[in-house]
PDB file of all heavy atoms in Angstrom:
ATOM      1  N   TYR C  36      -0.811  -2.267  -3.679  1.00  0.00           N
ATOM      2  CA  TYR C  36      -0.857  -3.100  -4.858  1.00  0.00           C
ATOM      3  C   TYR C  36       0.528  -3.266  -5.381  1.00  0.00           C
ATOM      4  O   TYR C  36       1.372  -2.500  -5.027  1.00  0.00           O
ATOM      5  CB  TYR C  36      -1.777  -2.463  -5.905  1.00  0.00           C
ATOM      6  CG  TYR C  36      -3.235  -2.396  -5.526  1.00  0.00           C
ATOM      7  CD1 TYR C  36      -3.727  -1.570  -4.541  1.00  0.00           C
ATOM      8  CD2 TYR C  36      -4.162  -3.181  -6.210  1.00  0.00           C
ATOM      9  CE1 TYR C  36      -5.085  -1.589  -4.164  1.00  0.00           C
ATOM     10  CE2 TYR C  36      -5.455  -3.214  -5.915  1.00  0.00           C
ATOM     11  CZ  TYR C  36      -5.936  -2.338  -4.901  1.00  0.00           C
ATOM     12  OH  TYR C  36      -7.268  -2.402  -4.532  1.00  0.00           O
ATOM     13  N   ARG C  37       0.662  -4.205  -6.271  1.00  0.00           N
ATOM     14  CA  ARG C  37       2.062  -4.349  -6.908  1.00  0.00           C
ATOM     15  C   ARG C  37       1.834  -4.790  -8.358  1.00  0.00           C
ATOM     16  O   ARG C  37       0.868  -5.445  -8.688  1.00  0.00           O
ATOM     17  CB  ARG C  37       2.882  -5.345  -6.090  1.00  0.00           C
ATOM     18  CG  ARG C  37       2.356  -6.780  -6.159  1.00  0.00           C
ATOM     19  CD  ARG C  37       3.241  -7.714  -5.268  1.00  0.00           C
ATOM     20  NE  ARG C  37       2.827  -9.049  -5.244  1.00  0.00           N
ATOM     21  CZ  ARG C  37       3.378 -10.021  -4.450  1.00  0.00           C
ATOM     22  NH1 ARG C  37       4.282  -9.646  -3.540  1.00  0.00           N
ATOM     23  NH2 ARG C  37       2.888 -11.215  -4.515  1.00  0.00           N
ATOM     24  N   GLN C  38       2.841  -4.464  -9.080  1.00  0.00           N
ATOM     25  CA  GLN C  38       2.817  -4.843 -10.532  1.00  0.00           C
ATOM     26  C   GLN C  38       4.235  -5.259 -10.984  1.00  0.00           C
ATOM     27  O   GLN C  38       5.183  -4.463 -10.895  1.00  0.00           O
ATOM     28  CB  GLN C  38       2.351  -3.688 -11.419  1.00  0.00           C
ATOM     29  CG  GLN C  38       2.182  -4.029 -12.855  1.00  0.00           C
ATOM     30  CD  GLN C  38       1.383  -2.961 -13.580  1.00  0.00           C
ATOM     31  OE1 GLN C  38       1.306  -1.785 -13.224  1.00  0.00           O
ATOM     32  NE2 GLN C  38       0.775  -3.365 -14.765  1.00  0.00           N
ATOM     33  N   ALA C  39       4.330  -6.515 -11.329  1.00  0.00           N
ATOM     34  CA  ALA C  39       5.586  -7.028 -11.785  1.00  0.00           C
ATOM     35  C   ALA C  39       5.653  -6.895 -13.371  1.00  0.00           C
ATOM     36  O   ALA C  39       4.596  -6.767 -13.990  1.00  0.00           O
ATOM     37  CB  ALA C  39       5.683  -8.560 -11.384  1.00  0.00           C
ATOM     38  N   PRO C  40       6.789  -6.957 -13.896  1.00  0.00           N
ATOM     39  CA  PRO C  40       6.938  -6.721 -15.333  1.00  0.00           C
ATOM     40  C   PRO C  40       6.150  -7.763 -16.066  1.00  0.00           C
ATOM     41  O   PRO C  40       6.159  -8.969 -15.771  1.00  0.00           O
ATOM     42  CB  PRO C  40       8.400  -6.985 -15.579  1.00  0.00           C
ATOM     43  CG  PRO C  40       9.102  -6.537 -14.320  1.00  0.00           C
ATOM     44  CD  PRO C  40       8.139  -6.998 -13.227  1.00  0.00           C
ATOM     45  N   GLY C  41       5.331  -7.263 -17.054  1.00  0.00           N
ATOM     46  CA  GLY C  41       4.531  -8.183 -17.887  1.00  0.00           C
ATOM     47  C   GLY C  41       3.200  -8.713 -17.172  1.00  0.00           C
ATOM     48  O   GLY C  41       2.606  -9.620 -17.762  1.00  0.00           O
ATOM     49  N   LYS C  42       2.984  -8.276 -15.940  1.00  0.00           N
ATOM     50  CA  LYS C  42       1.810  -8.744 -15.238  1.00  0.00           C
ATOM     51  C   LYS C  42       0.828  -7.651 -14.921  1.00  0.00           C
ATOM     52  O   LYS C  42       1.296  -6.445 -14.921  1.00  0.00           O
ATOM     53  CB  LYS C  42       2.274  -9.430 -13.972  1.00  0.00           C
ATOM     54  CG  LYS C  42       3.093 -10.759 -14.234  1.00  0.00           C
ATOM     55  CD  LYS C  42       3.292 -11.535 -12.902  1.00  0.00           C
ATOM     56  CE  LYS C  42       4.005 -12.838 -13.177  1.00  0.00           C
ATOM     57  NZ  LYS C  42       4.200 -13.631 -11.958  1.00  0.00           N
ATOM     58  N   GLN C  43      -0.353  -8.007 -14.524  1.00  0.00           N
ATOM     59  CA  GLN C  43      -1.328  -6.972 -14.161  1.00  0.00           C
ATOM     60  C   GLN C  43      -1.126  -6.548 -12.668  1.00  0.00           C
ATOM     61  O   GLN C  43      -0.495  -7.305 -11.878  1.00  0.00           O
ATOM     62  CB  GLN C  43      -2.751  -7.518 -14.291  1.00  0.00           C
ATOM     63  CG  GLN C  43      -3.253  -7.786 -15.662  1.00  0.00           C
ATOM     64  CD  GLN C  43      -4.691  -8.087 -15.843  1.00  0.00           C
ATOM     65  OE1 GLN C  43      -5.248  -8.731 -14.874  1.00  0.00           O
ATOM     66  NE2 GLN C  43      -5.358  -7.624 -16.852  1.00  0.00           N
ATOM     67  N   ARG C  44      -1.506  -5.387 -12.419  1.00  0.00           N
ATOM     68  CA  ARG C  44      -1.499  -4.837 -11.067  1.00  0.00           C
ATOM     69  C   ARG C  44      -2.376  -5.700 -10.136  1.00  0.00           C
ATOM     70  O   ARG C  44      -3.494  -5.993 -10.576  1.00  0.00           O
ATOM     71  CB  ARG C  44      -1.795  -3.392 -11.021  1.00  0.00           C
ATOM     72  CG  ARG C  44      -1.533  -2.720  -9.701  1.00  0.00           C
ATOM     73  CD  ARG C  44      -1.723  -1.181  -9.790  1.00  0.00           C
ATOM     74  NE  ARG C  44      -0.794  -0.621 -10.715  1.00  0.00           N
ATOM     75  CZ  ARG C  44      -0.782   0.756 -10.863  1.00  0.00           C
ATOM     76  NH1 ARG C  44      -1.471   1.586 -10.034  1.00  0.00           N
ATOM     77  NH2 ARG C  44       0.073   1.176 -11.727  1.00  0.00           N
ATOM     78  N   GLU C  45      -1.864  -6.043  -8.953  1.00  0.00           N
ATOM     79  CA  GLU C  45      -2.680  -6.920  -8.107  1.00  0.00           C
ATOM     80  C   GLU C  45      -2.720  -6.341  -6.698  1.00  0.00           C
ATOM     81  O   GLU C  45      -1.717  -5.667  -6.242  1.00  0.00           O
ATOM     82  CB  GLU C  45      -2.116  -8.392  -8.146  1.00  0.00           C
ATOM     83  CG  GLU C  45      -0.739  -8.461  -7.575  1.00  0.00           C
ATOM     84  CD  GLU C  45      -0.262  -9.918  -7.441  1.00  0.00           C
ATOM     85  OE1 GLU C  45      -0.941 -10.868  -7.795  1.00  0.00           O
ATOM     86  OE2 GLU C  45       0.898 -10.114  -6.978  1.00  0.00           O
ATOM     87  N   LEU C  46      -3.707  -6.697  -5.985  1.00  0.00           N
ATOM     88  CA  LEU C  46      -3.866  -6.277  -4.600  1.00  0.00           C
ATOM     89  C   LEU C  46      -2.899  -7.102  -3.763  1.00  0.00           C
ATOM     90  O   LEU C  46      -2.907  -8.367  -3.892  1.00  0.00           O
ATOM     91  CB  LEU C  46      -5.273  -6.429  -4.072  1.00  0.00           C
ATOM     92  CG  LEU C  46      -5.501  -6.242  -2.626  1.00  0.00           C
ATOM     93  CD1 LEU C  46      -5.416  -4.837  -2.158  1.00  0.00           C
ATOM     94  CD2 LEU C  46      -6.904  -6.760  -2.171  1.00  0.00           C
ATOM     95  N   VAL C  47      -2.169  -6.423  -2.891  1.00  0.00           N
ATOM     96  CA  VAL C  47      -1.300  -7.130  -1.938  1.00  0.00           C
ATOM     97  C   VAL C  47      -2.055  -7.165  -0.582  1.00  0.00           C
ATOM     98  O   VAL C  47      -2.146  -8.220  -0.008  1.00  0.00           O
ATOM     99  CB  VAL C  47       0.047  -6.389  -1.761  1.00  0.00           C
ATOM    100  CG1 VAL C  47       0.877  -7.034  -0.667  1.00  0.00           C
ATOM    101  CG2 VAL C  47       0.778  -6.334  -3.091  1.00  0.00           C
ATOM    102  N   ALA C  48      -2.511  -6.021  -0.111  1.00  0.00           N
ATOM    103  CA  ALA C  48      -3.260  -5.974   1.183  1.00  0.00           C
ATOM    104  C   ALA C  48      -3.896  -4.661   1.310  1.00  0.00           C
ATOM    105  O   ALA C  48      -3.449  -3.622   0.712  1.00  0.00           O
ATOM    106  CB  ALA C  48      -2.250  -6.187   2.331  1.00  0.00           C
ATOM    107  N   ASP C  49      -5.034  -4.633   2.036  1.00  0.00           N
ATOM    108  CA  ASP C  49      -5.632  -3.384   2.414  1.00  0.00           C
ATOM    109  C   ASP C  49      -6.198  -3.402   3.758  1.00  0.00           C
ATOM    110  O   ASP C  49      -6.298  -4.422   4.380  1.00  0.00           O
ATOM    111  CB  ASP C  49      -6.686  -2.936   1.351  1.00  0.00           C
ATOM    112  CG  ASP C  49      -7.811  -3.916   1.149  1.00  0.00           C
ATOM    113  OD1 ASP C  49      -8.071  -4.707   2.072  1.00  0.00           O
ATOM    114  OD2 ASP C  49      -8.477  -3.893   0.126  1.00  0.00           O
ATOM    115  N   VAL C  50      -6.511  -2.206   4.289  1.00  0.00           N
ATOM    116  CA  VAL C  50      -6.958  -2.079   5.696  1.00  0.00           C
ATOM    117  C   VAL C  50      -7.977  -0.985   5.730  1.00  0.00           C
ATOM    118  O   VAL C  50      -7.791   0.159   5.137  1.00  0.00           O
ATOM    119  CB  VAL C  50      -5.786  -1.792   6.607  1.00  0.00           C
ATOM    120  CG1 VAL C  50      -4.998  -0.565   6.258  1.00  0.00           C
ATOM    121  CG2 VAL C  50      -6.255  -1.711   8.013  1.00  0.00           C
ATOM    122  N   THR C  51      -9.117  -1.201   6.441  1.00  0.00           N
ATOM    123  CA  THR C  51     -10.122  -0.177   6.581  1.00  0.00           C
ATOM    124  C   THR C  51      -9.774   0.750   7.685  1.00  0.00           C
ATOM    125  O   THR C  51      -8.855   0.517   8.522  1.00  0.00           O
ATOM    126  CB  THR C  51     -11.488  -0.799   6.880  1.00  0.00           C
ATOM    127  OG1 THR C  51     -11.396  -1.351   8.201  1.00  0.00           O
ATOM    128  CG2 THR C  51     -11.814  -1.888   5.787  1.00  0.00           C
ATOM    129  N   SER C  52     -10.521   1.838   7.864  1.00  0.00           N
ATOM    130  CA  SER C  52     -10.364   2.816   8.993  1.00  0.00           C
ATOM    131  C   SER C  52     -10.526   2.079  10.354  1.00  0.00           C
ATOM    132  O   SER C  52     -10.025   2.521  11.292  1.00  0.00           O
ATOM    133  CB  SER C  52     -11.232   3.979   8.779  1.00  0.00           C
ATOM    134  OG  SER C  52     -12.626   3.510   8.709  1.00  0.00           O
TER     135      SER C  52
END
Side-chain angles (χ1 to χ4, degrees):
Y36 289 71
R37 67 186 180 187
Q38 188 167 19
K42 295 189 177 181
Q43 289 190 328
R44 191 173 298 188
E45 63 176 1
L46 173 69
V47 176
D49 59 24
V50 57
T51 68
S52 57

